[in-house]
Amino acid sequence: MALVVQKYGGSSVSDAEAMRRVAKRIVATKRAGHKVVVVVSAMGDTTDDLLDLAASITDKAPQREMDMLLSAGERISMSLLAMAVNELGETAISYTGQQAGVQTDNHYGKAHIVSMVPERVARSIQDGYIAIVAGFQGVNERKDVTTLGRGGSDTTAVALAASLHADVCEIYTDVDGMFTADPRLVPKAKQIAATTFEETLEMAAHGAKILHLRAVEFARRYHVPLHVRSSFSDKSGTWISDGPAHPELKGLVPDSALTFDPEAQLMKETPVEEPLISGLAHDRSEDKITLVGVPDEPGRAAHIFEIIAQAGANIDMIVQNVSTVQPGATDLTITLPHADAADTVKALEGAKEEGGFLKVVHTGNVGKLSLVGAGMRTNPGVSAKLFGTLSKAGINIDMISTSEIRLSVLVSEDQLDEAVRAVHTAFGLDAEQVEAVVYGGTGR
Ligand code: ASP
Ligand code: MG
Protein backbone atom coordinates (compact mmCIF):
# COMPACT_ATOMS: atom_id res chain seq x y z
CA MET A 1 0.00 0.00 0.00
CA ALA A 2 1.23 3.44 -0.88
CA LEU A 3 0.17 6.98 -0.15
CA VAL A 4 -0.39 8.62 -3.52
CA VAL A 5 -0.97 12.31 -4.15
CA GLN A 6 -2.61 12.91 -7.54
CA LYS A 7 -2.80 16.37 -9.06
CA TYR A 8 -5.21 16.99 -11.92
CA GLY A 9 -4.70 20.08 -14.10
CA GLY A 10 -7.51 22.14 -15.57
CA SER A 11 -7.57 20.27 -18.90
CA SER A 12 -8.17 16.99 -17.03
CA VAL A 13 -11.33 18.32 -15.35
CA SER A 14 -12.66 20.60 -18.07
CA ASP A 15 -16.27 19.33 -18.00
CA ALA A 16 -18.59 16.83 -16.31
CA GLU A 17 -17.45 13.93 -18.47
CA ALA A 18 -13.80 14.67 -17.73
CA MET A 19 -14.65 14.83 -14.01
CA ARG A 20 -16.20 11.37 -14.23
CA ARG A 21 -13.13 9.99 -16.02
CA VAL A 22 -10.85 11.42 -13.33
CA ALA A 23 -13.13 10.14 -10.56
CA LYS A 24 -12.85 6.63 -12.02
CA ARG A 25 -9.08 6.80 -11.89
CA ILE A 26 -9.11 8.06 -8.32
CA VAL A 27 -11.45 5.29 -7.22
CA ALA A 28 -9.42 2.65 -9.05
CA THR A 29 -6.27 3.83 -7.26
CA LYS A 30 -8.04 3.65 -3.91
CA ARG A 31 -9.46 0.20 -4.65
CA ALA A 32 -5.99 -1.02 -5.61
CA GLY A 33 -5.24 -0.57 -1.91
CA HIS A 34 -3.70 2.89 -1.77
CA LYS A 35 -4.43 5.98 0.26
CA VAL A 36 -5.33 8.78 -2.13
CA VAL A 37 -5.08 12.54 -1.76
CA VAL A 38 -6.16 14.57 -4.79
CA VAL A 39 -5.22 18.15 -5.66
CA VAL A 40 -7.29 19.75 -8.35
CA SER A 41 -6.98 22.88 -10.53
CA ALA A 42 -9.84 25.02 -11.78
CA MET A 43 -11.88 23.56 -14.65
CA GLY A 44 -10.48 24.27 -18.14
CA ASP A 45 -9.97 27.99 -18.70
CA THR A 46 -11.85 29.09 -15.58
CA THR A 47 -8.93 31.05 -14.12
CA ASP A 48 -8.44 32.98 -17.38
CA ASP A 49 -12.17 33.64 -17.58
CA LEU A 50 -12.20 35.00 -14.03
CA LEU A 51 -9.25 37.25 -14.86
CA ASP A 52 -11.10 38.57 -17.93
CA LEU A 53 -14.20 39.16 -15.88
CA ALA A 54 -12.28 41.22 -13.33
CA ALA A 55 -10.57 43.17 -16.11
CA SER A 56 -13.96 44.04 -17.58
CA ILE A 57 -14.89 45.70 -14.30
CA THR A 58 -11.67 47.42 -13.30
CA ASP A 59 -8.03 47.76 -14.22
CA LYS A 60 -7.04 48.32 -10.60
CA ALA A 61 -8.58 45.43 -8.71
CA PRO A 62 -7.35 45.16 -5.11
CA GLN A 63 -5.01 42.17 -4.93
CA ARG A 64 -6.90 40.74 -1.99
CA GLU A 65 -10.12 40.65 -4.02
CA MET A 66 -8.31 39.14 -7.02
CA ASP A 67 -7.16 36.23 -4.89
CA MET A 68 -10.61 35.84 -3.37
CA LEU A 69 -11.99 35.67 -6.91
CA LEU A 70 -9.37 33.33 -8.43
CA SER A 71 -9.51 30.87 -5.55
CA ALA A 72 -13.18 30.27 -6.40
CA GLY A 73 -12.20 28.32 -9.54
CA GLU A 74 -10.61 25.51 -7.53
CA ARG A 75 -13.54 25.41 -5.11
CA ILE A 76 -15.87 24.64 -7.98
CA SER A 77 -13.75 21.78 -9.30
CA MET A 78 -12.96 20.24 -5.90
CA SER A 79 -16.60 19.97 -4.86
CA LEU A 80 -17.78 18.65 -8.24
CA LEU A 81 -15.00 16.09 -8.26
CA ALA A 82 -15.94 14.97 -4.75
CA MET A 83 -19.52 14.46 -5.99
CA ALA A 84 -18.28 12.44 -8.97
CA VAL A 85 -16.23 10.19 -6.66
CA ASN A 86 -19.18 9.74 -4.31
CA GLU A 87 -21.29 8.64 -7.29
CA LEU A 88 -18.86 5.74 -7.73
CA GLY A 89 -19.40 4.52 -4.19
CA GLU A 90 -16.37 5.90 -2.36
CA THR A 91 -16.47 8.82 0.05
CA ALA A 92 -14.53 11.92 -0.94
CA ILE A 93 -14.27 15.06 1.16
CA SER A 94 -13.11 18.33 -0.37
CA TYR A 95 -11.01 20.92 1.42
CA THR A 96 -10.05 24.50 0.64
CA GLY A 97 -6.41 25.50 0.98
CA GLN A 98 -7.12 26.86 4.43
CA GLN A 99 -8.88 23.70 5.59
CA ALA A 100 -5.97 21.66 4.24
CA GLY A 101 -3.54 23.69 6.36
CA VAL A 102 -1.78 25.63 3.59
CA GLN A 103 -0.34 28.67 5.35
CA THR A 104 1.29 31.30 3.11
CA ASP A 105 2.99 34.69 3.30
CA ASN A 106 1.12 37.88 2.39
CA HIS A 107 2.10 38.26 -1.25
CA TYR A 108 -1.23 38.10 -3.00
CA GLY A 109 -1.05 36.56 -6.46
CA LYS A 110 2.35 34.96 -5.85
CA ALA A 111 2.23 33.76 -2.27
CA HIS A 112 4.81 31.30 -0.96
CA ILE A 113 3.90 28.47 1.36
CA VAL A 114 5.35 29.04 4.84
CA SER A 115 3.91 26.00 6.54
CA MET A 116 1.84 23.01 5.73
CA VAL A 117 -0.23 21.26 8.43
CA PRO A 118 -2.68 19.01 6.60
CA GLU A 119 -4.30 17.57 9.69
CA ARG A 120 -7.80 17.13 8.32
CA VAL A 121 -6.45 15.63 5.11
CA ALA A 122 -4.38 13.13 7.07
CA ARG A 123 -7.34 12.20 9.24
CA SER A 124 -9.61 11.71 6.23
CA ILE A 125 -7.33 9.24 4.52
CA GLN A 126 -6.66 7.50 7.81
CA ASP A 127 -10.42 7.01 8.12
CA GLY A 128 -10.57 5.47 4.64
CA TYR A 129 -11.85 8.48 2.73
CA ILE A 130 -10.44 10.22 -0.32
CA ALA A 131 -9.31 13.80 0.36
CA ILE A 132 -9.68 16.35 -2.43
CA VAL A 133 -7.79 19.61 -1.94
CA ALA A 134 -8.16 22.86 -3.86
CA GLY A 135 -4.83 23.62 -5.57
CA PHE A 136 -3.21 27.02 -6.01
CA GLN A 137 -4.50 28.57 -2.78
CA GLY A 138 -3.67 29.07 0.86
CA VAL A 139 -4.39 31.49 3.62
CA ASN A 140 -2.21 34.20 5.17
CA GLU A 141 -1.82 35.12 8.83
CA ARG A 142 -4.91 37.34 8.63
CA LYS A 143 -6.87 34.33 7.34
CA ASP A 144 -7.33 36.00 3.96
CA VAL A 145 -7.18 33.76 0.90
CA THR A 146 -3.97 33.95 -1.15
CA THR A 147 -3.01 32.31 -4.44
CA LEU A 148 0.37 30.84 -5.35
CA GLY A 149 0.81 32.19 -8.89
CA ARG A 150 -0.36 30.75 -12.23
CA GLY A 151 0.15 27.02 -12.43
CA GLY A 152 0.47 26.87 -8.64
CA SER A 153 -1.58 23.71 -8.11
CA ASP A 154 1.54 21.65 -8.86
CA THR A 155 3.19 23.32 -5.89
CA THR A 156 0.22 22.59 -3.62
CA ALA A 157 0.41 18.94 -4.64
CA VAL A 158 4.13 18.55 -4.04
CA ALA A 159 3.94 20.40 -0.73
CA LEU A 160 1.14 18.10 0.41
CA ALA A 161 3.06 15.04 -0.76
CA ALA A 162 6.12 16.23 1.16
CA SER A 163 4.28 16.90 4.39
CA LEU A 164 2.29 13.65 4.25
CA HIS A 165 5.45 11.70 3.30
CA ALA A 166 3.66 10.40 0.24
CA ASP A 167 5.35 7.71 -1.80
CA VAL A 168 4.75 9.47 -5.09
CA CYS A 169 3.18 12.66 -6.40
CA GLU A 170 1.46 12.06 -9.72
CA ILE A 171 0.98 15.14 -11.89
CA TYR A 172 -1.79 14.51 -14.41
CA THR A 173 -1.86 16.63 -17.53
CA ASP A 174 -2.92 16.39 -21.18
CA VAL A 175 0.26 14.89 -22.64
CA ASP A 176 1.99 11.62 -21.75
CA GLY A 177 4.71 13.21 -19.63
CA MET A 178 7.79 15.27 -20.44
CA PHE A 179 9.18 15.25 -23.96
CA THR A 180 12.54 16.06 -25.52
CA ALA A 181 10.88 19.24 -26.84
CA ASP A 182 7.38 20.71 -26.76
CA PRO A 183 5.39 18.22 -28.87
CA ARG A 184 3.17 21.05 -30.08
CA LEU A 185 6.24 22.49 -31.80
CA VAL A 186 8.24 19.33 -32.55
CA PRO A 187 5.83 16.50 -33.43
CA LYS A 188 8.68 13.97 -33.40
CA ALA A 189 9.67 14.80 -29.83
CA LYS A 190 10.35 11.68 -27.76
CA GLN A 191 8.91 10.97 -24.38
CA ILE A 192 11.42 11.10 -21.51
CA ALA A 193 10.95 7.99 -19.35
CA ALA A 194 12.97 9.17 -16.37
CA THR A 195 14.97 12.22 -15.44
CA THR A 196 16.41 14.07 -12.46
CA PHE A 197 15.19 17.06 -10.46
CA GLU A 198 18.17 19.11 -11.67
CA GLU A 199 17.36 18.61 -15.33
CA THR A 200 13.68 19.23 -14.76
CA LEU A 201 14.50 22.45 -12.92
CA GLU A 202 16.55 23.66 -15.86
CA MET A 203 13.77 22.74 -18.29
CA ALA A 204 11.09 24.45 -16.19
CA ALA A 205 13.22 27.54 -15.54
CA HIS A 206 13.90 27.94 -19.26
CA GLY A 207 10.43 27.77 -20.68
CA ALA A 208 9.16 24.17 -20.52
CA LYS A 209 5.62 24.60 -19.24
CA ILE A 210 4.88 21.12 -18.04
CA LEU A 211 5.61 21.79 -14.34
CA HIS A 212 5.48 24.81 -12.05
CA LEU A 213 9.10 25.69 -11.27
CA ARG A 214 8.47 26.01 -7.54
CA ALA A 215 6.93 22.55 -7.46
CA VAL A 216 10.14 21.05 -8.84
CA GLU A 217 12.24 22.97 -6.31
CA PHE A 218 10.01 21.69 -3.53
CA ALA A 219 10.18 18.12 -4.79
CA ARG A 220 13.95 18.25 -4.96
CA ARG A 221 14.30 19.69 -1.49
CA TYR A 222 12.04 17.07 0.11
CA HIS A 223 12.87 14.15 -2.20
CA VAL A 224 9.31 13.66 -3.45
CA PRO A 225 9.35 11.37 -6.50
CA LEU A 226 7.20 12.86 -9.25
CA HIS A 227 5.40 11.04 -12.02
CA VAL A 228 4.14 13.34 -14.78
CA ARG A 229 1.56 11.58 -16.93
CA SER A 230 -1.66 11.94 -18.87
CA SER A 231 -5.11 11.61 -17.35
CA PHE A 232 -6.37 10.65 -20.81
CA SER A 233 -4.38 7.41 -21.08
CA ASP A 234 -2.93 4.64 -18.91
CA LYS A 235 0.59 5.01 -20.27
CA SER A 236 3.51 5.45 -17.94
CA GLY A 237 4.72 9.03 -18.04
CA THR A 238 7.97 10.66 -16.91
CA TRP A 239 9.47 9.78 -13.53
CA ILE A 240 11.47 12.52 -11.87
CA SER A 241 13.68 11.65 -8.94
CA ASP A 242 17.06 12.22 -7.32
CA GLY A 243 18.89 10.02 -9.77
CA PRO A 244 19.41 6.53 -11.06
CA ALA A 245 19.47 4.59 -7.84
CA HIS A 246 16.32 5.97 -6.28
CA PRO A 247 15.02 3.01 -4.29
CA GLU A 248 11.71 4.58 -3.39
CA LEU A 249 10.53 4.55 -6.96
CA LYS A 250 10.31 0.80 -6.97
CA GLY A 251 7.13 -1.01 -6.27
CA LEU A 252 5.13 2.17 -6.08
CA VAL A 253 3.41 2.07 -9.36
CA PRO A 254 -0.20 2.61 -8.50
CA ASP A 255 -1.83 0.92 -11.43
CA SER A 256 -1.15 -2.31 -13.15
CA ALA A 257 -0.82 -0.80 -16.61
CA LEU A 258 2.64 0.40 -15.74
CA THR A 259 5.68 -1.77 -16.15
CA PHE A 260 8.36 0.86 -16.05
CA ASP A 261 11.63 0.29 -14.21
CA PRO A 262 13.21 3.72 -13.71
CA GLU A 263 16.58 2.35 -12.71
CA ALA A 264 16.89 0.29 -15.84
CA GLN A 265 15.84 3.25 -17.95
CA LEU A 266 18.35 5.64 -16.48
CA MET A 267 21.23 3.21 -16.67
CA LYS A 268 20.44 2.11 -20.21
CA GLU A 269 23.60 1.88 -22.29
CA THR A 270 24.96 5.22 -21.27
CA PRO A 271 28.65 5.46 -22.11
CA VAL A 272 29.87 7.05 -18.93
CA GLU A 273 31.49 10.24 -20.16
CA GLU A 274 29.42 10.93 -23.22
CA PRO A 275 27.23 13.98 -22.88
CA LEU A 276 23.64 12.89 -22.49
CA ILE A 277 21.16 15.34 -23.92
CA SER A 278 17.81 15.07 -22.20
CA GLY A 279 15.84 17.65 -24.07
CA LEU A 280 15.23 21.12 -25.39
CA ALA A 281 13.29 23.91 -23.75
CA HIS A 282 12.25 27.12 -25.45
CA ASP A 283 11.02 30.41 -24.15
CA ARG A 284 9.54 33.49 -25.80
CA SER A 285 8.64 35.34 -22.64
CA GLU A 286 11.84 37.34 -22.25
CA ASP A 287 13.03 40.78 -23.39
CA LYS A 288 16.55 42.06 -23.85
CA ILE A 289 17.97 45.32 -22.54
CA THR A 290 21.40 46.66 -23.51
CA LEU A 291 23.17 49.49 -21.74
CA VAL A 292 25.51 51.07 -24.24
CA GLY A 293 28.80 52.69 -23.20
CA VAL A 294 29.09 51.72 -19.55
CA PRO A 295 32.38 53.11 -18.14
CA ASP A 296 34.81 50.24 -17.68
CA GLU A 297 35.64 50.73 -14.02
CA PRO A 298 34.96 48.92 -10.72
CA GLY A 299 31.60 49.51 -9.12
CA ARG A 300 29.66 50.41 -12.30
CA ALA A 301 28.03 47.04 -12.78
CA ALA A 302 27.21 46.79 -9.08
CA HIS A 303 25.43 50.13 -9.25
CA ILE A 304 23.45 49.12 -12.34
CA PHE A 305 22.30 45.85 -10.83
CA GLU A 306 21.21 47.64 -7.69
CA ILE A 307 18.91 49.78 -9.82
CA ILE A 308 17.58 46.69 -11.58
CA ALA A 309 17.00 44.93 -8.26
CA GLN A 310 15.10 47.93 -6.94
CA ALA A 311 12.86 47.78 -10.00
CA GLY A 312 11.99 44.24 -8.83
CA ALA A 313 13.21 42.45 -11.94
CA ASN A 314 14.40 38.86 -12.13
CA ILE A 315 17.37 38.68 -14.44
CA ASP A 316 18.20 35.67 -16.56
CA MET A 317 21.24 36.15 -18.82
CA ILE A 318 23.99 38.75 -18.39
CA VAL A 319 26.66 39.50 -20.96
CA GLN A 320 29.32 42.21 -20.86
CA ASN A 321 31.26 43.09 -24.00
CA VAL A 322 33.74 45.67 -25.21
CA SER A 323 31.53 48.53 -26.37
CA THR A 324 30.83 48.72 -30.06
CA VAL A 325 30.25 52.46 -29.81
CA GLN A 326 32.39 53.90 -27.05
CA PRO A 327 36.11 53.14 -26.89
CA GLY A 328 37.26 52.15 -23.41
CA ALA A 329 33.71 51.36 -22.33
CA THR A 330 31.60 48.21 -22.20
CA ASP A 331 28.11 47.29 -23.34
CA LEU A 332 26.08 45.39 -20.78
CA THR A 333 23.19 43.21 -21.94
CA ILE A 334 20.62 41.41 -19.81
CA THR A 335 17.53 39.34 -20.47
CA LEU A 336 14.54 39.38 -18.16
CA PRO A 337 10.83 38.47 -18.12
CA HIS A 338 8.78 40.63 -20.47
CA ALA A 339 6.54 41.61 -17.55
CA ASP A 340 9.50 43.20 -15.72
CA ALA A 341 10.93 45.04 -18.73
CA ALA A 342 8.97 48.31 -18.80
CA ASP A 343 9.69 49.22 -15.17
CA THR A 344 13.33 48.24 -15.50
CA VAL A 345 13.85 50.32 -18.65
CA LYS A 346 12.25 53.29 -16.94
CA ALA A 347 14.48 52.94 -13.88
CA LEU A 348 17.59 52.61 -16.04
CA GLU A 349 16.66 55.60 -18.22
CA GLY A 350 16.40 57.63 -15.04
CA ALA A 351 19.87 56.52 -13.94
CA LYS A 352 21.71 57.21 -17.20
CA GLU A 353 23.62 60.24 -16.01
CA GLU A 354 24.51 58.88 -12.61
CA GLY A 355 25.52 55.53 -14.10
CA GLY A 356 27.59 57.21 -16.81
CA PHE A 357 26.24 55.14 -19.73
CA LEU A 358 25.08 56.46 -23.09
CA LYS A 359 21.78 54.77 -23.80
CA VAL A 360 19.32 52.03 -22.96
CA VAL A 361 18.23 49.79 -25.84
CA HIS A 362 15.16 47.62 -25.29
CA THR A 363 14.43 44.69 -27.65
CA GLY A 364 11.16 42.80 -27.26
CA ASN A 365 11.32 39.98 -29.75
CA VAL A 366 13.83 37.50 -28.46
CA GLY A 367 13.61 33.73 -28.25
CA LYS A 368 15.68 31.43 -26.10
CA LEU A 369 16.58 27.85 -26.82
CA SER A 370 18.09 25.71 -24.07
CA LEU A 371 19.71 22.32 -24.41
CA VAL A 372 19.56 20.39 -21.14
CA GLY A 373 21.53 17.30 -20.17
CA ALA A 374 24.45 15.87 -18.26
CA GLY A 375 28.09 16.45 -19.16
CA MET A 376 27.64 19.44 -21.45
CA ARG A 377 29.92 21.96 -19.84
CA THR A 378 33.00 19.85 -20.24
CA ASN A 379 32.20 18.71 -23.74
CA PRO A 380 33.08 21.26 -26.43
CA GLY A 381 31.55 19.01 -29.08
CA VAL A 382 28.08 19.89 -27.84
CA SER A 383 28.56 23.63 -28.33
CA ALA A 384 30.22 23.04 -31.69
CA LYS A 385 27.28 20.97 -32.88
CA LEU A 386 24.73 23.45 -31.55
CA PHE A 387 26.38 26.50 -33.11
CA GLY A 388 27.09 24.63 -36.34
CA THR A 389 23.47 23.56 -36.66
CA LEU A 390 22.19 27.09 -36.13
CA SER A 391 24.67 28.54 -38.58
CA LYS A 392 23.68 26.01 -41.24
CA ALA A 393 20.08 27.08 -40.73
CA GLY A 394 21.10 30.72 -41.14
CA ILE A 395 20.16 31.60 -37.58
CA ASN A 396 22.22 34.21 -35.79
CA ILE A 397 23.16 33.66 -32.13
CA ASP A 398 22.77 36.76 -30.05
CA MET A 399 23.79 35.64 -26.55
CA ILE A 400 24.98 32.45 -24.90
CA SER A 401 24.79 31.27 -21.31
CA THR A 402 25.71 27.97 -19.69
CA SER A 403 25.31 26.02 -16.49
CA GLU A 404 26.66 22.63 -15.50
CA ILE A 405 23.86 20.91 -17.38
CA ARG A 406 22.47 23.56 -19.73
CA LEU A 407 23.49 25.52 -22.80
CA SER A 408 21.20 28.39 -23.78
CA VAL A 409 21.29 30.65 -26.82
CA LEU A 410 19.28 33.72 -27.61
CA VAL A 411 17.97 34.03 -31.17
CA SER A 412 15.41 36.27 -32.79
CA GLU A 413 11.90 35.21 -31.89
CA ASP A 414 10.74 34.63 -35.45
CA GLN A 415 13.51 32.04 -35.93
CA LEU A 416 12.96 30.23 -32.65
CA ASP A 417 10.62 27.48 -33.90
CA GLU A 418 12.97 26.66 -36.75
CA ALA A 419 15.95 26.66 -34.39
CA VAL A 420 14.25 24.23 -31.98
CA ARG A 421 13.36 21.79 -34.77
CA ALA A 422 16.82 21.92 -36.37
CA VAL A 423 18.64 21.36 -33.07
CA HIS A 424 16.26 18.57 -32.05
CA THR A 425 17.08 16.75 -35.28
CA ALA A 426 20.83 17.46 -35.14
CA PHE A 427 21.15 15.94 -31.69
CA GLY A 428 19.38 12.77 -32.79
CA LEU A 429 16.38 13.36 -30.58
CA ASP A 430 13.70 12.85 -33.24
CA ALA A 431 11.53 9.78 -32.77
CA GLU A 432 11.06 7.47 -35.76
CA GLN A 433 7.38 8.21 -35.68
CA VAL A 434 5.21 10.75 -34.02
CA GLU A 435 4.82 9.53 -30.40
CA ALA A 436 3.26 12.49 -28.68
CA VAL A 437 -0.47 12.76 -28.34
CA VAL A 438 -1.76 16.09 -27.14
CA TYR A 439 -5.09 15.09 -25.62
CA GLY A 440 -6.40 18.29 -24.16
CA GLY A 441 -4.59 21.23 -25.56
CA THR A 442 -4.08 23.65 -22.70
CA GLY A 443 -0.92 22.00 -21.42
CA ARG A 444 -1.96 21.75 -17.78
N1 ASP B 1 -5.99 27.44 -11.86
C1 ASP B 1 -4.70 28.05 -11.68
C2 ASP B 1 -4.16 28.51 -13.03
O1 ASP B 1 -4.80 28.31 -14.04
C3 ASP B 1 -3.74 27.15 -11.00
C4 ASP B 1 -3.33 25.92 -11.76
O2 ASP B 1 -3.92 25.57 -12.77
O3 ASP B 1 -2.37 25.26 -11.34
O4 ASP B 1 -3.11 29.08 -13.07
MG1 MG C 1 -5.28 26.15 -14.89
Side-chain angles (χ1 to χ4, degrees), residues 11 54 66 137 145 181 254 256 313 319 324 343 347 357 365 393 395 406 419 429 432 444:
S11 60
M66 277 315 288
Q137 56 177 266
V145 177
S256 56
V319 168
T324 46
D343 286 349
F357 47 88
N365 301 325
I395 296 167
R406 177 184 49 81
L429 296 171
E432 310 243 300
R444 286 272 175 206

Side-chain angles (χ1 to χ4, degrees), residues 39-40 63-64 66-72 74-75 78 95-117 133-149 152-153 155-157 159-160 214:
V39 172
V40 71
Q63 290 175 312
R64 178 186 179 281
M66 277 315 288
D67 277 12
M68 197 61 109
L69 174 70
L70 295 186
S71 66
E74 272 70 12
R75 282 197 180 214
M78 73 179 196
Y95 296 108
T96 62
Q98 176 177 18
Q99 290 171 324
V102 186
Q103 185 81 40
T104 74
D105 62 20
N106 292 320
H107 296 290
Y108 293 111
K110 46 174 187 250
H112 276 76
I113 297 174
V114 294
S115 81
M116 193 84 201
V117 190
V133 177
F136 171 60
Q137 56 177 266
V139 66
N140 63 18
E141 57 195 9
R142 288 192 294 273
K143 295 206 160 50
D144 282 334
V145 177
T146 53
T147 63
L148 309 182
S153 300
T155 299
T156 306
L160 261 177
R214 279 163 50 197

Side-chain angles (χ1 to χ4, degrees), residues 183-204:
R184 293 169 184 84
L185 186 65
V186 183
K188 283 199 166 175
K190 269 193 274 207
Q191 198 214 35
I192 301 172
T195 182
T196 60
F197 291 126
E198 270 66 28
E199 291 186 351
T200 309
L201 272 179
E202 293 278 13
M203 297 283 280

Side-chain angles (χ1 to χ4, degrees), residues 74 171 210 212 260 271 298:
E74 272 70 12
I171 306 282
I210 191 116
H212 199 220
F260 172 66

Side-chain angles (χ1 to χ4, degrees), residues 7 10 41-42 47 74 136 149-154 444:
K7 180 257 167 177
S41 294
T47 308
E74 272 70 12
F136 171 60
R150 298 305 308 271
S153 300
D154 291 351
R444 286 272 175 206

